[in-house]
Every structure is written in structure tokens, then in C-alpha cells.
Amino acid sequence: MEKRRFPLKTNYMKKLFCITISLLVGYMVVNAQHLPLSQQMANTAMKLWSDTSKNMRWTYEQGVVLKGVESVWKQTADKKYFKYVQNCIDTLVSADGSIKHYKKEDYTLDNVLCGRSALMLGNVLLKEKYYKAAEQMRDQLKTQPRNSDGGFWHKNRYPNQMWLDGLYMAEPFYAEYATTFHEDEDFDDIAKQFILIEQHTRDPKTGLLYHGWDQSHKEQWANPQTGLSQNFWGRADGWYAMALVDVLDKFPADHPKRAELLAIFNRLAVAIQKYQDPKTGLWYQILDKANEHGNYTEASASCMFVYALAKGVREGYLPAKYLPVAEKGYKGITEKFLETDANGQLNLNGTVSVGGLGGKPYRDGSYQYYMSEKVVQNDPKGVGAFIQASVEIERLANLSAGEGKTVLLDSYFNDEHRKDVTGRVISFHYKWNETTNDGFSFLGHIFNNYGVKTETLYTGPTAENLKKADIYVIVDPDIPKENPNTKYIEAAHVKAISDWVKDGGTLVVLNNDTGNAEFKHLNVLMAKFGMHFDEDSRNRVQGARFEMGAIDIPDGNEIFKTAKKVYIKELSTLTVTQPGRSALSDKDGVIVAVSKYGKGTVFAVGDPWFYNEYTDGRKLPPGYDNFKAANDFVKWLIAQIPAKK
């Protein structure tokens, strides 16, 4: 089963909910739009670095901004953010997948980061050119120079050197590529990179990691005995922390090295907390020298630590005690580094423009060197990290609502298969991890935002396997033309499901229209709840005439409290009898029905409806509230779950 972990305790979550709401309200920079800070800064980024710029380069600086803007798209379903990412990559990636200005022979890990955005676009749009661009990054890693222990050189011109920066540049992409292309053996190598550099750069006294390590001990900046650079540079440790939390998202749960990565992350979190400035909540350019002349609190490192800690707790990689650390850090960032100019644009101050080792002119890694680099406004590394940190803080607001609850998605009655990009046959159509139009990734993201774990059931429902679910979703049961191995809802399933609902379960049934879903066996189940799917097909839409699929939601609807107009096409209506009743009707047809059955609740609609094509914002024109409707729906479902005594 697929799992999303939310380990926070109830009393802590109640406190967290109150604190976070207060923080978010307090941190909101007032402007004409009153947007969350993540969106305000994403809008700044899109203005500063146009997606049609002729001088755009395939660089890590652009890559961290693109990851930030992508996270805002997933949080808002506003297609302008997706289009920005796509347009940026399209200015660099040709139809054949070749990348402008990219030179493999440079073997710089910095170039790998943009591969994450290319891979994301490939997985959403299933276009070959994006996969080909990502494959070039993977090909580079196959022949990337390594030291004798197997660690990647940071660049070809930096022999034997590993920098903390390189872990963020390469490893999250490496893990995402391995997941997409089923290269499971790569996770051994990914783990090796984290473990090796921690073994060599971690200082046992502070717990912090030195910026770089030269295995040969020959570089001028390297300690002749250890090969280590001299200082703990804030952004370097920030890159490493972000890399860990992003890689763990993809790292297999049963991999023998996963526990070691979690241990590294938890060790680093101890050091991050230890060196947080107690007064401002921020972190210094050189982490352990707060009182040294010239040292200063630095924006990008502070944003990176906030992101890593907040996400680490939300995902269950870190204990809940680190959330106050992240919240204090975010408060410090907003108070010291943010400003709104006369045009209403949100700007980020306080980011050091660069930090490196060696090169020309030579950077010796001394304290004086790090103090000499310019501190600038709206540096892309800081802006991208701030956007990602803001999204993570904003995601905390509703986590307590569904804490400890689980939504279980059926993949037994709906069990279609297709070949993926590798030719492997996979289960698809309305799956949590599916990012194409057919997937439920946005719905899953919303459930996760409300603290609900998303899991999948690949076997038939029984009294035993339904015990773990608070919400059970059946979507679009198969018919033979979709799946020759069709599995129908039988009497034993009807009993297991109806008994579970009677005992307090919340059942969601998202069917389809006639000719595209199974009705006979499903309606035996629905009869238990006073519902019947009519074998019809309403709201048939011609081309892009979206108004043919429009449904207005009246004020005061019990479920959809913020959505006013939604799009739903080719659906079956419902006939309801007691205890079923209409929750949304249109043109004398019941569109949504609900039923109270024992202690439980049933929700039914004759369409999969909440799938990405109509919730991720890319297709529908302005005026349709499908994403709002999905949020309303999730909140309503959580409210139906009976309180446990």
C-alpha cells in the first residue's frame, strides 16, 4: 500500500493549528491582491526572470526557482505557474530533446537540477522531448567523474572534490529519475553520496557539515590532514538539508539504507536547531560564528532550513519538536528580509550572491572570503528557497483537521493498465501518484494538506482491510473493454462495505456515464444507501464549449461552501430514495447524492470528477471552481468522520 505519514500528536496539532493560523495571518504582506507570500514571491520571480528571456540558461539558479513555482502550482492549481515552468524549459529544450548551452563534458552537478523540471513536465504531459532532456542528465551521472570512494566530483574542473551543494543539484533528480524509470538499483548509489559526504564533512563537536572535502588533500583551500574546507557555510548545509528531505520522498520504504538517511537528517536537524539565532530565529552566513566580526544572518540558508524542517516534520521524517524551530525561522525571515516596493512587488533581501571554493579568482574558503561576497536583493537561490519554504509553512494551516485519518483508494474494481515511458505495464487511471490528466495527484495533495494519509487498496474490500480506512473511495469500476480481467462488486463486498459504513465509515463513490463504467453490480451496493446510478450521460460537451458542462452551485450548499461554478461533463445522474437524498441538483437531475447509513456517510456522483484534468487548473478557463470544490469536498468528508470515543 502507498502511505503518507503524519505522525503529529493531537494536542500538539491543536496548538500548532492555532500558532500557524496566527503566523500566516501575521506574516501576510498587505497588497492589492492579499495573496499568500508563496504566490507573491512566485509572481516576483516570474516578473524578474521572464519565461521568454533570450538569455535564459540551463542553470541551478533557474532550477531552484522552477521548483518553487512548481510547488505553488500544486498548492493553488493556477495554470500560470505551470505554464511558467513549461515555457522556461521550452526555451531551452528543443523538439528533439537537445538542451541549449548544455555541455555534458563540463560534468558539473549544477546542471543536473533543471532535469527535475523536465522530468516533471514529462510525467504530466507524457511528451518525449522532456524525457529526452532528463535522460541527458541521467547520462551525465553515469559517467560523472568520481573519487576512489565513489563520490561524485562537483565539477570536472574540481578533481576529487565533493561539495554539499552538489547533493541538492543531483540527488533529488537522481531519485526522481530512478522512480520514473524503475532503476531501483540507483538508490544504492544515491544513499552512498549522502553517507560518504557526511562521514567526511561532519564535525562531531558542532554536528555541522563543512562546505567541501577534497579527497586528495591537495587543494589550497583543503586542510592538509583532512581535506576539509575551513568553514560551515550556511547555504551549503541548507542545500544538503533540502536534498535529504526531497530524496526521502522517493526513497523506497524497504530500502536498507533508508534508515541511515533518516538518521543523517535527524543528526543534521539537531545542529540546525543548535545554531539558530535565539533572538531572530535566523541562521548566520557562517553558522557557528555568530559573534565573529562581520558575520550576518543570511536569507537563503534560513529559507532552506525552514523548508527542510517543516517538510521533514510534515512527512514524518523528523519529530514534531522541530516545527517551532521552522516557524520561528520563518517569522524571522518575514520580519528581516521581506519588503514590498512602491509597485506592490514583494522582494527578498539578504541573500549572499555566491559561495564557492577554488576557481578564478581563487576562493580559499576562509572566513574573510565568505564575508567578502556581495549580499543582494532577489537572488534566485534565495527567492526559490523562500517560495518553497513558504509553501511548506502554508501547508501547515489545516494539518490538524484530518490528523490520524486515512483515505483508502480502490485499485481492485478500477484496475486498468497501460505501458509507461519504459514500456513496463503499470496500473493507471485515477491513482494518487499519477500526475497526468487521468490521475488523482492533486486530490491526494489536498487530502495531505488536511493531514489525511493517502493509501491504496489493491485487493477486494473486506471487513479486515477496511478497518484502517476512515474514507474509502471507489472510482469508475471497470468494464471488459477497459480491463479484460474485470472484477465486479459481489455480495461479499457489498456486505463488507455496508457494514463498514454502518459502523462509521465514509464511502465515496465516483462513477462514470453509461458505456464508460459498470452499473449493474455497483447499483446493488448503492441500493443499500438509497441511491441508484441512472444509465445516462448528461452534460455532453462539444470541443471547448465548456459552458455545456457548467453547473452552478447555489449559496448555502452543505458540501461546496466556496465553489460557485463547476465543470463536470458526461456524467450519470442519480435516483435517490430514503435514506439517500440530493446534495446538488441541476435541471431536475440529481448530480450529487448523500446518505446517512448507521453511523456512517455515503457520497456519490456519476463522474470521477476530481481527477487532475479538472482540478489542476491547466485546462478549464477562469470562472470554474473545480479546485475549490475539491477542497470543499475534502473538508466535508473529514467532518463526516465520527469522533472516536
Side-chain angles (χ1 to χ4, degrees), residues 32-178:
Q33 297 175 307
H34 299 285
L35 292 173
L37 293 179
S38 63
Q39 294 177 52
Q40 291 185 52
M41 192 58 75
N43 293 344
T44 295
M46 294 190 295
K47 181 178 179 181
L48 292 174
W49 303 293
S50 168
D51 57 9
T52 58
S53 175
K54 292 182 180 180
N55 63 354
M56 191 171 289
R57 294 292 186 271
W58 186 268
T59 68
Y60 76 98
E61 291 185 314
Q62 180 176 328
V64 71
V65 170
L66 293 181
K67 289 307 295 180
V69 174
E70 176 192 334
S71 70
V72 175
W73 168 56
K74 291 178 178 177
Q75 189 69 359
T76 64
D78 188 331
K79 65 183 175 184
K80 73 179 181 182
Y81 299 114
F82 178 86
K83 290 301 296 182
Y84 175 78
V85 176
Q86 184 181 9
N87 290 344
C88 285
I89 296 299
D90 282 348
T91 64
L92 296 167
V93 177
S94 301
D96 63 358
S98 59
I99 303 168
K100 295 177 184 177
H101 315 298
Y102 168 69
K103 296 179 180 179
K104 177 183 176 181
E105 59 270 20
D106 289 344
Y107 284 108
T108 171
L109 294 182
D110 290 345
N111 282 339
V112 176
L113 181 56
C114 279
R116 297 180 72 183
S117 295
L119 193 56
M120 180 277 291
L121 291 169
N123 288 336
V124 171
L125 302 173
L126 299 181
K127 289 189 176 180
E128 187 177 13
K129 79 168 189 174
Y130 300 119
Y131 287 127
K132 286 184 174 180
E135 285 169 7
Q136 291 180 70
M137 301 301 101
R138 180 64 186 93
D139 286 344
Q140 176 184 319
L141 294 180
K142 287 178 181 177
T143 52
Q144 183 79 14
R146 298 174 183 247
N147 61 34
S148 61
D149 289 336
F152 289 137
W153 293 4
H154 190 64
K155 296 181 181 180
N156 193 43
R157 62 190 178 99
Y158 295 149
N160 298 300
Q161 298 176 34
M162 294 186 75
W163 295 10
L164 296 179
D165 319 33
L167 276 294
Y168 183 75
M169 306 309 158
E171 306 313 317
F173 165 80
Y174 201 177
E176 290 162 8
Y177 190 94

Side-chain angles (χ1 to χ4, degrees), residues 312-367:
V313 173
R314 183 178 58 78
E315 293 284 5
Y317 310 145
L318 298 175
K321 67 180 182 179
Y322 289 107
L323 271 184
V325 182
E327 290 168 335
K328 185 175 182 178
Y330 192 67
K331 184 174 186 291
I333 292 165
T334 61
E335 290 179 347
K336 180 165 185 178
F337 297 127
L338 293 187
E339 68 174 32
T340 303
D341 63 24
N343 297 317
Q345 176 176 293
L346 185 65
N347 299 305
L348 181 73
N349 297 318
T351 298
V352 64
S353 59
V354 70
L357 298 166
K360 295 180 181 180
Y362 196 81
R363 299 167 295 184
D364 64 3
S366 66
Y367 179 82

